[in-house]
Amino acid sequence: MTKKISSREKEIIIGTVLGDAHIAMLKTAARLEVTHSEKQKEYVLWKHAEFRHLVNAEPRLIKIEDARYGKTYRQWRFATGAADWCTEMHRIFYKDRIKIVPKDIEQLLTSPLSLAVWFMDDGGRRNDSYGLFLNTLSFTLSEHKLLQNCLQNNFSLETRVHWIQDGYRLYIPSKCAKHFCELVYPHLIPPMYYKLSFNPVTTSFARLDRARD
């Protein structure tokens, strides 16, 4: 499949690959697979619309049974067709079928749109401060250093690496929250505004459950 991707599509792909998306390598080429929980259906529909000429089917609802806990998880999912552009993305972002942060991430993650999509996928805000975070638990400490340098050099964003129960994640301190929110807000879809600690339109900060800093 020789379809080309636009610069906007590439920026969205970079953000979502850093986030929740998976690139599956098939026999001859790779495809991009997008999956989110049922409550994020509108986000899935937005991605599907952005990738419309790259996909062959509408998003579908998947039910996953967890027999251990007697729970049913509902997810919305779609995939692009297998294509050369996706195979190239797999080469960049995967090693031995494991997702990685490429050493040249600073040349790839340059757009606020990519940053916004990454945040919509994996970001959130603390309730005890205006700090924000990106759940980057699957990446190593050295990969976090690459991301930190990229965010500092490309977006003037200071970050810290925090260890939580299952691994490391990137933390954006309160003093940088306003700048970060101003960067990503124009590219967020409205259902994702709740993740921000500062609203650039109303120029107001989110209410804290308890004060920290």
Side-chain angles (χ1 to χ4, degrees):
M1 192 173 183
T2 58
K3 286 184 179 179
K4 303 293 185 182
I5 56 173
S6 68
S7 58
R8 177 179 173 84
E9 287 166 341
K10 184 176 181 179
E11 290 171 7
I12 294 173
I13 289 164
I14 288 170
T16 198
V17 170
L18 283 170
D20 290 331
H22 173 66
I23 300 178
M25 191 66 206
L26 308 179
K27 287 184 178 180
T28 59
R31 71 180 183 191
L32 181 71
E33 299 176 348
V34 173
T35 304
H36 291 285
S37 66
E38 186 175 27
K39 67 181 181 181
Q40 293 182 321
K41 178 183 176 181
E42 288 184 72
Y43 185 40
V44 174
L45 295 178
W46 175 80
K47 283 186 179 179
H48 185 269
E50 292 287 344
F51 297 149
R52 181 160 296 279
H53 89 283
L54 304 174
V55 299
N56 301 318
E58 295 298 310
R60 57 195 179 108
L61 180 64
I62 303 294
K63 297 180 182 179
I64 300 174
E65 304 289 342
D66 189 338
R68 296 173 301 169
Y69 303 103
K71 292 185 177 181
T72 301
Y73 298 96
R74 298 160 66 91
Q75 299 176 332
W76 282 92
R77 179 182 302 176
F78 73 88
T80 67
D84 293 341
W85 64 264
C86 202
T87 303
E88 176 62 13
M89 285 291 176
H90 186 277
R91 184 193 66 78
I92 293 170
F93 283 98
Y94 284 77
K95 182 178 181 181
D96 299 325
R97 296 186 179 273
I98 297 174
K99 190 184 293 187
I100 63 167
V101 176
K103 294 189 185 300
D104 62 345
I105 189 63
E106 201 167 315
Q107 282 71 56
L108 297 166
L109 180 59
T110 59
S111 162
L113 174 57
S114 297
L115 187 60
V117 173
W118 184 19
F119 183 71
M120 286 192 286
D121 268 37
D122 271 350
R125 65 179 179 88
R126 293 178 61 142
N127 291 322
D128 59 353
S129 76
Y130 299 119
L132 302 143
F133 58 81
L134 288 156
N135 282 314
T136 45
L137 305 180
S138 65
F139 299 136
T140 65
L141 182 58
S142 60
E143 288 173 326
H144 277 80
K145 297 298 183 184
L146 289 172
L147 291 171
Q148 283 189 291
N149 290 337
C150 173
L151 293 175
Q152 179 65 60
N153 294 334
N154 290 350
F155 303 102
S156 299
L157 276 172
E158 176 187 330
T159 58
R160 301 170 189 164
V161 179
H162 283 185
W163 172 263
I164 58 175
Q165 186 175 1
D166 298 319
Y168 299 102
R169 77 177 178 186
L170 278 179
Y171 176 65
I172 301 160
S174 294
K175 66 179 181 179
C176 299
K178 182 174 180 288
H179 174 50
F180 178 85
C181 294
E182 288 172 340
L183 280 170
V184 301
Y185 182 88
H187 307 286
L188 263 59
I189 64 172
M192 292 295 185
Y193 290 163
Y194 76 94
K195 291 191 172 194
L196 298 176
S197 58
F198 174 79
N199 186 314
V201 174
T202 62
T203 65
S204 60
F205 283 91
R207 182 175 178 178
L208 302 181
D209 288 346
R210 56 191 177 90
R212 181 182 176 90
D213 57 6

